[in-house]
Amino acid sequence: MGLDHTLDEQAPKHQRRIRYKGTHPQKFKEKYKELHPDQYKDAVAKIIEKGNTPAGMHIPICVKEILDFLQIKAGQTGLDATLGYGGHSLAMLQCLHEKGRLYAIDVDPIELPRTKERLEQLGYGSEILEIQQRNFSQIDQITTKTGNFHFILADLGVSSMQIDNPDRGFSFKAEGPLDLRLNPQKGTSAAIRLKEMTQDELQDMLIENADEPHHKAIAQAIVSQLKKGNAIQTTTQLRNIIKDALINIPQITEAEIKKSCQRSFQSLRIDINNEFEVLDLFLEKLPNALAKGGRVAILSFHSGEDRRVKKSFKRFFGEGVYREIAPDPIRPSAEECHVNPRAHSAKLRWAIKS
């Protein structure tokens, strides 16, 4: 009797799933089926079929186009410079046929271990895949140990699971802390960064990072709120400030205001993560990381990124470092954009080392 009582106390208590109002969960943490895709494959498949990305997941973009270009062969060594959810890494690992090695890096300390676990469960352990938490601007530090790579991929987009999780503060669509850091363990949050900036600095940031046409009105509104002592600590607080700043502009539409919110959040994210600076470093070090005849493919998602990739590829092609570069960016097919709307803005450029 005493033993049975002790065992009962030690047995884990059943955890009921989070309850929600209505017929479908609305909040991120309530979407238990989407957050456990291995357990609810049919439900997740239906969500993807409707053209939506399941919460907590990321659908890799231009996989066929990337693999067609990289021409990965068994025995080669490659790098996924932006691991994310691991969809591109999985496709590249399958091309190696258990011969060769893939290195994968990412700065996100929250998603990286989850992706590593997923890939290990699929049979890709340390014998063929090495994952490190590292910024891709440090690519030269990786090659000192690995040697040069036969193929490299960099997907510059923010992963869907980062955007969807309101605790990360990447999206204005849900209430969450105004953070926006790819690595929340380092640097300054977006909320703190806003307090440090002058109106001129805010305007310059909105222009440089997002080509925001209403940069002056948005910057004025943010600075005005902060001067009044009104803290901007959440995503919805910033969204409402932007909306209130633009709502009285003649003939402006809800769709235009939404675009300005998207661009403003993008601009702030780029700023606090130094995304352009680290991309420039990566592009500068990239040729020395490629083996002779090595191939690199880069996916970008807005004009600031694409301009940098295009300029770097053209420069090194002109210097004879690259023997061939993409004449024009490759865009996702209409079919892919229908299945995955987040693919719409993607541009794929490539280069081959001389």
Side-chain angles (χ1 to χ4, degrees):
M1 185 75 172
L3 178 60
D4 290 342
H5 181 68
T6 304
L7 289 173
D8 286 342
E9 287 182 343
Q10 291 176 348
K13 293 182 179 180
H14 174 67
Q15 296 290 324
R16 298 184 68 178
R17 66 173 173 81
I18 300 170
R19 292 193 173 275
Y20 53 86
K21 296 179 181 179
T23 57
H24 298 287
Q26 298 299 317
K27 295 182 179 179
F28 178 78
K29 291 179 180 178
E30 293 174 346
K31 298 182 179 183
Y32 64 97
K33 290 184 179 181
E34 297 178 51
L35 294 171
H36 297 88
D38 294 337
Q39 298 176 33
Y40 302 96
K41 292 180 181 179
D42 291 344
V44 168
K46 288 180 181 178
I47 292 167
I48 295 172
E49 189 178 338
K50 290 180 181 178
N52 297 318
T53 301
M57 286 184 65
H58 181 84
I59 301 173
I61 295 169
C62 287
V63 175
K64 182 182 183 301
E65 292 84 351
I66 289 167
L67 295 182
D68 285 348
F69 165 70
L70 291 180
Q71 298 181 13
I72 299 170
K73 298 175 178 61
Q76 288 187 329
T77 301
L79 173 71
D80 186 341
T82 47
L83 175 62
Y85 194 78
H88 286 123
S89 277
L90 177 60
M92 292 187 287
L93 284 163
Q94 290 168 343
C95 293
L96 289 174
H97 299 290
E98 300 182 4
K99 297 176 182 176
R101 193 162 186 79
L102 181 69
Y103 294 85
I105 57 176
D106 204 291
V107 296
D108 191 330
I110 296 171
E111 294 299 333
L112 186 142
R114 296 172 182 170
T115 299
K116 183 178 181 180
E117 182 180 358
R118 275 193 300 271
L119 291 171
E120 284 176 347
Q121 289 174 350
L122 292 171
Y124 297 104
S126 58
E127 70 285 348
I128 193 169
L129 173 65
E130 182 174 325
I131 295 175
Q132 299 178 20
Q133 185 187 338
R134 190 186 288 270
N135 192 291
F136 67 1
S137 64
Q138 301 172 324
I139 191 171
D140 53 328
Q141 297 177 26
I142 300 169
T143 52
T144 56
K145 297 179 180 179
T146 64
N148 288 6
F149 296 109
H150 298 104
F151 61 91
I152 295 174
L153 170 67
D155 176 350
L156 304 181
V158 178
S159 297
S160 296
M161 64 275 186
Q162 293 169 323
I163 296 171
D164 291 338
N165 186 349
D167 291 341
R168 304 296 301 272
F170 281 96
S171 174
F172 62 89
K173 295 180 181 179
E175 173 81 12
L178 189 61
D179 194 305
L180 288 164
R181 285 174 291 177
L182 295 171
N183 181 353
Q185 298 171 354
K186 289 186 177 181
T188 301
S189 72
I192 294 174
R193 177 68 176 135
L194 284 179
K195 293 179 182 178
E196 300 171 345
M197 302 180 77
T198 65
Q199 183 176 318
D200 287 343
E201 288 172 336
L202 275 167
Q203 288 182 212
D204 290 344
M205 179 191 77
L206 290 165
I207 296 169
E208 172 68 20
N209 295 354
D211 300 317
E212 171 53 49
H214 304 296
H215 51 87
K216 185 174 182 179
I218 293 170
Q220 279 181 337
I222 291 171
V223 171
S224 175
Q225 288 296 319
L226 290 170
K227 283 184 176 178
K228 291 175 184 177
N230 298 327
I232 307 173
Q233 296 179 331
T234 69
T235 52
T236 48
Q237 284 173 338
L238 178 58
R239 179 195 66 194
N240 291 338
I241 289 169
I242 296 168
K243 288 177 70 175
D244 291 344
L246 305 182
I247 196 70
N248 293 320
I249 293 176
Q251 298 181 328
I252 197 164
T253 65
E254 283 291 333
E256 289 178 88
I257 293 174
K258 181 180 176 182
K259 279 288 185 184
S260 283
C261 287
Q262 290 174 335
R263 287 190 291 260
S264 298
F265 272 69
Q266 169 192 301
S267 179
L268 193 51
R269 189 204 77 223
I270 289 170
D271 179 85
I272 65 168
N273 291 293
N274 300 310
E275 291 181 31
F276 287 160
E277 291 84 354
V278 297
L279 176 57
D280 288 340
L281 280 171
F282 171 72
L283 291 168
E284 191 66 25
K285 297 174 180 180
L286 184 55
N288 290 332
L290 284 166
K292 184 178 180 180
R295 294 169 176 248
V296 57
I298 300 180
L299 266 175
S300 63
F301 291 84
H302 56 81
S303 58
E305 291 174 339
D306 184 59
R307 281 195 297 265
R308 283 168 163 78
V309 176
K310 179 181 178 181
K311 183 178 178 181
S312 175
F313 281 5
K314 278 192 170 183
R315 175 191 144 205
F316 284 122
F317 175 69
E319 294 175 1
V321 177
Y322 293 137
R323 76 163 190 247
E324 192 176 350
I325 60 173
D328 296 294
I330 298 168
R331 304 301 296 266
S333 67
E335 292 78 13
E336 178 169 10
C337 289
H338 172 72
V339 174
N340 183 9
R342 290 176 178 175
H344 274 288
S345 59
K347 292 182 180 180
L348 175 65
R349 292 187 184 272
W350 53 260
I352 303 175
K353 178 82 175 286
S354 297

